[in-house]
Amino acid sequence: MKYRSTRNKSFLGCSASQAIRQGLAEDGGLYVPEAWPSRSIDLDICTQGADKKFSVFAARVLAPFFRGDILEPYIPEICERAFQFQIPLRELNSQVSVLELFCGPTCAFKDFGARFLALCLEKLSSLESGSDSRPNMVLVATSGDTGGAVAAAFSEFTKIPVAILFPKGRISKRQEAQLTGWGPQVQAFAVEGSFDDCQRIVKEAFRSEAWQSRFQLISANSINLGRLLPQMAFFAYASCLAKARHQTSTGFIIPSGNLGNAVAALWAQQLGFPIREIVFAHNANQTVPIFFASGVWQPAVTQSTLANAMDVGIPSNFERVLDLFPKLEDLRERASAISVSDEEINETIRQGPTQWGQVWCPHTATAVFVVNKHLGIGKEVNGIVGHSKAGRHKQNSENTWVVVATAHPAKFESIVEPLVGRKIEVPASLQALLEKPSQVQIIGPSLECLSEYLLKVSDVV
Ligand SMILES: *Cc1c(COP(=O)(O)O)cnc(C)c1O
């Protein structure tokens, strides 16, 4: 399997491991498969693989995507080590199930992609040792959950140093603990500025000659193919489980921000897995819902909301969506998008225990809001922007839905606990991190400030 860039279609394809190493293609586009594997392989997995362990299932789904690659023989072992936690699809009623993607070490779905990516890079370094004398360095900007998942994965599986930039004072205490408690391999920098400043600094480092001559920089953000592919595998897996239970293909409702999970689900659908339709549930950042409604792509300034890991005004994976569906009508056949306000998130969390017997995190609540709307329960507070096929669904009350739960509510206790009126139990892996001593360096919002710490003292890193 070869990968091409979304921008230059005549570009000679590169291998999976090159795409994973590079993150972004040279022309600034994102890597996508040159051709889709044939459907017949997948239907076989669909009937025989649904009751298998996820790690075994994932290795089979991913095999064609690494065919001919230096990593090909190692994919089963990488999946086995990466996916050692549960991935429950819990039935809430005869129509609605919830896919709990928060059972990994940092209690958010980003553990899947980060762990798979870390293991791929570790394997690549051992296979390619000696070809490049520059040390590796992972550099990542985070507004919420990415940094924690990357820090956890790289410190468990690799010796590669990690530098994380986050906006000082703008993330939750528990999110911050997941960035700062890892010891010397992971250095956390609290930037006196916004998330956009953090991203700008990281981009400048990737373009800087001084940085490039010193390090082989690795980008671990959500445009990396090594994060998307395992996410595609969990949508394939859940769709097979749902099909086995209900004998019909299911719809997914996905809390979305940068559209990584959205693309992963579209790719699973493209492979022929039984996915009836996909709904992207966004928070008040409406760029995608407005596009679905009007066909106009208008990048917007990011708004802060209760679902902070989805606060994205210009979703970077959108290029991959358009690459697969250049025509809006075709995209609308497969998917729809809506925007959910903070008020609606609050109300959905508040009603969670009585409506569903569940405590939802603010991100998951956006998806639950959508399922409530389709089932005709719950309150609609604001008008909904976007293109929704609710009319068609009403005619078919048999449709089944999988709500994707992207994070554990305990990570957002300051929002959730007052709404449901009780304490949320903290998962053991999160508790262990909260107890570690934290180390953080405060820096000004420029690359020079970061260079002070990382370029000058890099022999110690
Ligand atoms: C990152 C994140 C999202 C958004 O996912 P995308 O793939 O960027 O759309 C949603 N919920 C949680 C908890 C996240 O951490």
Side-chain angles (χ1 to χ4, degrees):
M1 166 83 72
K2 293 277 183 201
Y3 295 84
R4 61 171 174 82
S5 160
T6 47
R7 301 228 174 136
N8 178 2
K9 299 198 174 168
S10 60
F11 161 87
L12 214 58
C14 76
S15 69
S17 48
Q18 280 169 317
I20 288 171
R21 262 224 170 277
Q22 281 180 21
L24 210 61
E26 257 160 47
D27 60 7
L30 310 186
Y31 285 114
V32 293
E34 248 180 14
W36 290 93
S38 75
R39 187 191 161 111
S40 56
I41 317 165
D42 309 307
L43 290 178
D44 171 43
I45 306 178
C46 207
T47 47
Q48 297 172 16
D51 55 357
K52 285 212 176 105
K53 267 171 51 183
F54 174 65
S55 55
V56 176
F57 180 93
R60 286 192 59 190
V61 174
L62 295 181
F65 290 85
F66 287 87
R67 195 136 295 147
D69 191 84
I70 179 174
L71 286 172
E72 181 178 5
Y74 306 101
I75 294 302
E77 155 197 337
I78 288 174
C79 289
E80 175 66 31
R81 294 182 68 197
F83 310 128
Q84 283 174 359
F85 41 89
Q86 298 293 307
I87 164 168
L89 180 66
R90 284 202 298 120
E91 214 166 299
L92 297 183
N93 66 26
S94 60
Q95 264 181 290
V96 181
S97 304
V98 57
L99 180 64
E100 294 182 345
L101 298 177
F102 52 66
C103 304
T106 70
C107 308
F109 81 85
K110 296 204 169 67
D111 285 323
F112 285 87
R115 289 166 69 83
F116 185 83
L117 176 66
L119 284 162
C120 286
L121 288 166
E122 178 62 12
K123 186 50 87 179
L124 284 175
S125 318
S126 72
L127 295 172
E128 294 165 347
S129 67
S131 62
D132 193 324
S133 59
R134 296 170 302 163
N136 283 304
M137 153 95 69
V138 175
L139 195 54
V140 65
T142 188
S143 63
D145 293 329
T146 290
V150 167
F154 279 78
S155 51
E156 180 174 343
F157 295 130
T158 80
K159 294 198 159 46
I160 303 172
V162 178
I164 299 173
L165 280 66
F166 66 93
K168 180 168 176 276
R170 301 203 195 180
I171 64 174
S172 87
K173 275 240 156 343
R174 286 183 184 173
Q175 282 176 319
E176 185 165 333
Q178 291 187 326
L179 306 177
T180 57
W182 298 100
Q185 188 184 344
V186 178
Q187 301 193 63
F189 295 92
V191 175
E192 291 172 317
S194 65
F195 171 62
D196 293 332
D197 291 317
C198 300
Q199 266 198 314
R200 176 178 48 77
I201 295 170
V202 168
K203 281 190 187 147
E204 282 173 17
F206 273 83
R207 283 196 303 260
S208 145
E209 256 172 49
W211 277 76
Q212 285 293 352
S213 63
R214 182 61 77 81
F215 296 111
Q216 271 195 82
L217 288 178
I218 295 168
S219 147
N221 64 21
S222 80
I223 52 119
N224 195 305
L225 187 74
R227 284 181 53 180
L228 277 191
L229 289 176
Q231 292 171 213
M232 175 185 76
F234 63 58
F235 285 111
Y237 179 73
S239 73
C240 289
L241 287 184
K243 173 104 193 219
R245 278 183 203 169
H246 301 291
Q247 276 74 54
T248 157
S249 61
T250 192
F252 281 90
I253 308 174
I254 308 177
S256 294
N258 214 18
L259 296 176
N261 257 346
V263 166
L266 287 170
W267 284 7
Q269 191 186 44
Q270 184 70 13
L271 281 177
F273 284 98
I275 299 173
R276 185 188 70 244
E277 64 181 290
I278 305 166
V279 183
F280 309 145
H282 288 262
N283 58 25
N285 291 281
Q286 302 189 348
T287 311
V288 176
I290 288 173
F291 173 78
F292 268 84
S294 67
V296 178
W297 182 250
Q298 198 148 52
V301 176
T302 301
Q303 284 189 51
S304 295
T305 75
L306 293 172
N308 70 356
M310 293 157 52
D311 289 348
V312 184
I314 314 174
S316 23
N317 277 298
F318 183 69
E319 258 186 77
R320 286 188 168 114
V321 176
L322 266 197
D323 189 81
L324 195 56
F325 298 107
K327 286 200 195 126
L328 179 58
E329 310 94 85
D330 296 339
L331 176 60
R332 281 175 170 169
E333 280 302 307
R334 304 273 188 101
S336 55
I338 80 166
S339 164
V340 180
S341 69
D342 271 359
E343 251 176 307
E344 290 162 336
I345 290 174
N346 271 332
E347 193 55 28
T348 306
I349 296 172
R350 197 190 329 263
Q351 294 174 351
T354 45
Q355 242 169 20
W356 294 107
Q358 301 288 315
V359 177
W360 308 114
C361 94
H363 309 82
T364 306
T366 61
V368 176
F369 175 82
V370 176
V371 92
N372 286 352
K373 180 179 139 63
H374 280 308
L375 300 179
I377 59 175
K379 245 196 337 207
E380 205 168 303
V381 182
N382 293 330
I384 291 179
V385 178
H387 166 86
S388 157
K389 297 192 280 187
R392 204 186 81 199
H393 299 140
K394 286 216 182 78
Q395 290 156 17
N396 186 355
S397 55
E398 306 284 285
N399 279 345
T400 62
W401 292 101
V402 172
V403 165
V404 177
T406 49
H408 193 287
K411 284 181 90 161
F412 307 94
E413 84 289 0
S414 61
I415 296 169
V416 171
E417 286 179 353
L419 291 169
V420 299
R422 65 175 175 85
K423 285 249 166 267
I424 313 293
E425 208 182 310
V426 180
S429 59
L430 180 52
Q431 187 59 43
L433 255 183
L434 295 175
E435 286 161 9
K436 287 191 184 164
S438 85
Q439 260 203 334
V440 61
Q441 188 64 53
I442 298 167
I443 62 169
S446 74
L447 182 60
E448 288 69 48
C449 295
L450 185 67
S451 303
E452 280 293 312
Y453 289 92
L454 290 183
L455 274 194
K456 302 208 170 129
V457 296
S458 62
D459 347 35
V460 208
V461 171

